[in-house]
Amino acid sequence: MNITMKITILPQGTLAIYEQIVNQLKNAIVTGELKTGEALPSIRALAADLGVSVITTKRAYEELEKEDLIRSVAGKGFFVCEYNTDYLKEKLLVMIEKRLEEIIHEAKQAGLSCDDFLEMAQTLYGE
């Protein structure tokens, strides 16, 4: 599986690039796109495919290792670990809520009404 095609980096985004990589890989694990035992691209290969530094992809992999979502096998690469789906999903929901609070705050500062905000969210969600 070539997961790099599924990772989208937004340089102007509010999240650091490594966090974008971490979040998208976590999402791929939760949704089942990445299965337990599946190999990930090497740090260098992922960096080259995404056009980011090796340090950035290394940090993303280190974060995922800290959370026991992936493991490094010497001489073989990185692999998806078994995980608690409910726990991981809950962590993702907490992260989404935090980001959504920031976006709602910005929307209020911009003078956007709740109805207009919801309409915008529904339109974007439908895409």
Side-chain angles (χ1 to χ4, degrees):
M1 168 188 268
N2 186 356
I3 63 165
T4 56
M5 299 307 293
K6 293 177 173 59
I7 295 177
T8 303
I9 301 300
L10 302 173
Q12 71 281 8
T14 57
L15 291 177
I17 293 172
Y18 86 92
E19 291 175 309
Q20 293 178 50
I21 295 168
V22 167
N23 291 342
Q24 290 178 59
L25 288 175
K26 281 182 185 179
N27 189 53
I29 292 169
V30 169
T31 61
E33 288 179 62
L34 290 175
K35 309 279 187 227
T36 299
E38 189 166 348
L40 298 176
S42 71
I43 290 171
R44 285 193 176 107
L46 183 61
D49 287 347
L50 297 177
V52 300
S53 81
V54 171
I55 294 168
T56 300
T57 54
K58 183 176 187 292
R59 185 166 182 195
Y61 278 18
E62 286 171 349
E63 289 294 317
L64 292 165
E65 273 190 296
K66 282 181 195 171
E67 295 188 41
D68 293 325
L69 295 173
I70 66 171
R71 62 183 162 78
S72 174
V73 177
K76 296 194 185 237
F78 292 88
F79 298 86
V80 177
C81 293
E82 283 192 51
Y83 55 89
N84 180 332
T85 307
D86 293 336
Y87 174 73
L88 184 56
K89 192 168 190 170
E90 185 63 28
K91 284 184 77 170
L92 285 172
L93 289 176
V94 168
M95 181 191 64
I96 290 168
E97 286 174 3
K98 181 180 174 194
R99 289 181 24 217
L100 193 53
E101 284 174 353
E102 294 170 2
I103 292 168
I104 289 170
H105 178 73
E106 290 175 16
K108 286 179 180 178
Q109 285 183 325
L112 202 60
S113 72
C114 182
D115 288 339
D116 288 343
F117 177 80
L118 291 174
E119 183 179 332
M120 181 187 297
Q122 288 173 332
T123 300
L124 293 171
Y125 195 84
E127 290 181 353

